[in-house]
Amino acid sequence: MQAIIIFCLLSLLLVIGKILRVAIPLLQRLYLPSSVIGGLLGLALFQCFPGLVCAETISGISRLPGFLINIVFASLFLGVVTPPLKKVFTQAFPQLCFGQVSAWGQYVLGIGLCGFVLIPLYKVNAGFGNLLEIGFQGGHGTVAGMASTFETYWKEGTDIGNTMATAGMMLGIIVGMIMVNIAGRKGYVSNVRKTSDMDKFQQMGLYHHNEAPAAGKQTVYCDSIDSLAFHISLVGLAVLLGYILLVAMQRGEVLLFPNAAKRVLAGFPLFPLCMIGGLLMQKSAQALKINKLIDRGQMQRIAGAALDFLVVSAVATIKLKVVAAFWQPLLIMIAAGTLLGVVLVMFVAPRLFKESWFECAIADFGQAMGVTATGLLLLRTVDPESKTCAAQSFGYKQLIHEPFMGGGIWTALALTLVFTIGWQKLFLISSIFFMFWLTIMLILIKKNNK
């Protein structure tokens, strides 16, 4: 019965969120997703009327994102025919450098600010510095995926991380749109898609009936197995492969280091390995020449549905008492992370990218602040018809960037490391990688100047 209540409650919040998005012009101009609107509504209701929903149901909702993120990451590469690495590096290397400098910069800034300033002043947990990259680049899903690690080392981390993710998504859209308007006035871009240029249906986020695109293609006959059920089953197999990899890694650590005082992989989350499981399945399907059975459109809908339910449940169950206790260091970290993103876009990007510098940079800014969907939203605003190279460069860059950063393997490992080896060593490691990518970026900038 509790599962039914949770499903119905989250469905209600999502639908009300969409209705509010349709009815309120301000929410349309802010491009806020219905999942965030519904989550904020749920948060307000649960806080203002604590007896409205029993504590057991709230607890069940709060555990849901940790499961759903595995589905999102397992779907990431299923149905994607990956191009040769040489082509990826040739067309997207500057974009990759920009993304890596942004991600490692968030680690250096976040961990450094936490270790040198916030710990002495506010006595925050050492993991606070990791939340800048986890919340901004990874978003609510990555925070949810780290739930077991937070539960082991820092119980308040999930609530603070979800707050960081919510702030990052909202600021990514708001600050991003401010920069888009500035770029339009200064002539950096010429194809800005303004809200006033859209008809009422587009502003409300609705398709005209005769223009609605297909959600995906059916690749199997439904009298054998429903096509959607088939694709969901493939996602489940990718999650299973990820789980097998996780168990193998954890047991391997025990065999290799039987007397170790701390287990680095004991708190390692499952979701990055689900992504690896999905990638292995996709590569196997390509090798066997059966990859056409996996439709990318259906995989996107599965991942999108899981992400919407994930975000609404994560935002709705934030514990405001925990957030209120850390509002000052949170504000400092959010402001610093936003400033880093703006500096990279407005001062570094024009010197790095040879063409369409603003389009390339604003996509990465959105992704670095509020996950990939925000980056694509901002990119569509400045390049609605994909006339520039930005969409392809950004997409290719993600193939290399996402497996490691923004919810990838390093994001997951770094949170465990900060609790096992200490923030000082993690700060040093992050600084080395930041300087490595920064040096490559400076070489590219110098080459462009010649």
Side-chain angles (χ1 to χ4, degrees):
M1 182 61 72
Q2 186 188 8
I4 295 174
I5 294 172
I6 290 173
F7 176 68
C8 293
L9 183 58
L10 293 179
S11 300
L12 180 63
L13 289 175
L14 278 173
V15 171
I16 293 176
K18 179 58 183 175
I19 292 172
L20 292 174
R21 175 78 150 71
V22 169
I24 302 175
L26 176 61
L27 297 179
Q28 297 167 17
R29 289 194 292 271
L30 290 176
Y31 291 96
L32 281 182
S34 300
S35 56
V36 173
I37 299 170
L40 291 172
L41 175 63
L43 178 63
L45 289 174
F46 296 160
Q47 296 296 321
C48 295
F49 306 98
L52 185 65
V53 179
C54 68
E56 188 179 357
T57 300
I58 297 292
S59 177
I61 294 173
S62 66
R63 290 194 298 269
L64 190 60
F67 164 72
L68 292 175
I69 188 58
N70 298 317
I71 296 175
V72 174
F73 270 73
S75 310
L76 200 59
F77 289 111
L78 284 171
V80 177
V81 180
T82 55
L85 280 179
K86 183 179 180 181
K87 185 177 181 180
V88 173
F89 273 103
T90 301
Q91 295 194 15
F93 192 63
Q95 192 88 40
L96 177 63
C97 287
F98 191 81
Q100 289 288 309
V101 167
S102 175
W104 288 108
Q106 287 181 347
Y107 271 111
V108 172
L109 177 63
I111 298 171
L113 190 60
C114 175
F116 295 114
V117 179
L118 301 184
I119 290 178
L121 287 181
Y122 299 102
K123 311 300 181 186
V124 300
N125 187 283
F128 203 99
N130 292 58
L131 292 183
L132 182 57
E133 198 269 352
I134 291 173
F136 275 23
Q137 294 243 358
H140 298 91
T142 302
V143 175
M146 303 291 190
S148 60
T149 309
F150 284 128
E151 187 65 28
T152 302
Y153 297 105
W154 180 30
K155 294 186 184 298
E156 296 89 354
T158 300
D159 293 297
I160 300 174
N162 279 326
T163 305
M164 186 80 74
T166 304
M169 182 179 289
M170 295 178 70
L171 284 171
I173 296 170
I174 295 169
V175 176
M177 290 305 297
I178 291 172
M179 288 194 290
V180 165
N181 289 324
I182 292 173
R185 287 199 299 270
K186 289 185 174 289
Y188 300 150
V189 290
S190 56
N191 298 312
V192 176
R193 187 188 187 197
K194 299 177 182 177
T195 307
S196 57
D197 297 331
M198 306 178 192
D199 61 32
K200 289 185 178 180
F201 276 83
Q202 290 174 323
Q203 291 178 23
M204 293 185 294
L206 301 172
Y207 284 109
H208 288 278
H209 178 68
N210 57 348
E211 296 178 357
K217 293 182 179 179
Q218 298 189 62
T219 59
V220 294
Y221 278 99
C222 291
D223 58 358
S224 61
I225 181 174
D226 184 82
S227 187
L228 181 59
F230 173 68
H231 283 77
I232 292 174
S233 299
L234 294 179
V235 174
L237 290 178
V239 174
L240 176 61
L241 282 176
Y243 179 74
I244 292 171
L245 286 172
L246 179 60
V247 172
M249 288 167 54
Q250 291 174 338
R251 291 185 178 179
E253 183 185 26
V254 174
L255 290 174
L256 290 172
F257 308 101
N259 300 318
K262 294 182 179 179
R263 297 291 176 199
V264 174
L265 297 178
F268 195 85
L270 174 60
F271 71 94
L273 300 178
C274 294
M275 174 179 57
I276 303 299
L279 182 60
L280 290 174
M281 287 182 60
Q282 177 64 27
K283 287 294 186 183
S284 299
Q286 288 177 214
L288 296 171
K289 296 183 179 179
I290 58 172
N291 55 293
K292 289 186 179 179
L293 290 174
I294 308 174
D295 178 62
R296 184 58 193 159
Q298 292 215 40
M299 286 301 173
Q300 287 178 315
R301 301 288 69 76
I302 293 169
L307 188 60
D308 276 338
F309 276 94
L310 185 157
V311 172
V312 72
S313 55
V315 175
T317 54
I318 293 174
K319 295 183 178 68
L320 291 183
K321 288 183 179 179
V322 175
V323 176
F326 295 96
W327 72 270
Q328 289 175 304
L330 253 175
L331 194 61
I332 293 170
M333 191 71 75
I334 290 169
T338 305
L339 181 61
L340 172 65
V342 172
V343 169
L344 286 173
V345 172
M346 302 307 294
F347 297 99
V348 177
R351 296 163 176 80
L352 174 65
F353 297 104
K354 288 184 177 180
E355 57 178 308
S356 306
W357 69 266
F358 187 82
E359 290 88 342
C360 291
I362 200 65
D364 250 300
F365 172 83
Q367 193 254 335
M369 290 287 293
V371 303
T372 304
T374 306
L376 292 175
L377 184 152
L378 293 173
L379 178 57
R380 283 196 296 268
T381 304
V382 295
D383 188 18
E385 299 177 11
S386 298
K387 292 182 178 180
T388 72
C389 62
Q392 189 176 57
S393 295
F394 181 71
Y396 281 175
K397 163 252 177 181
Q398 291 296 88
L399 294 174
I400 302 175
H401 183 83
E402 283 205 5
F404 300 98
M405 314 301 288
I409 293 172
W410 173 252
T411 303
L413 184 61
L415 185 62
T416 304
L417 290 176
V418 77
F419 298 119
T420 53
I421 68 173
W423 72 266
Q424 297 91 341
K425 291 180 181 178
L426 187 61
F427 177 74
L428 178 61
I429 295 170
S430 300
S431 298
I432 291 171
F433 278 98
F434 174 72
M435 291 305 299
F436 171 78
W437 285 105
L438 183 62
T439 301
I440 295 176
M441 178 185 282
L442 292 174
I443 292 172
L444 290 176
I445 291 174
K446 187 176 181 180
K447 185 178 178 181
N448 289 344
N449 290 336
K450 289 183 179 180

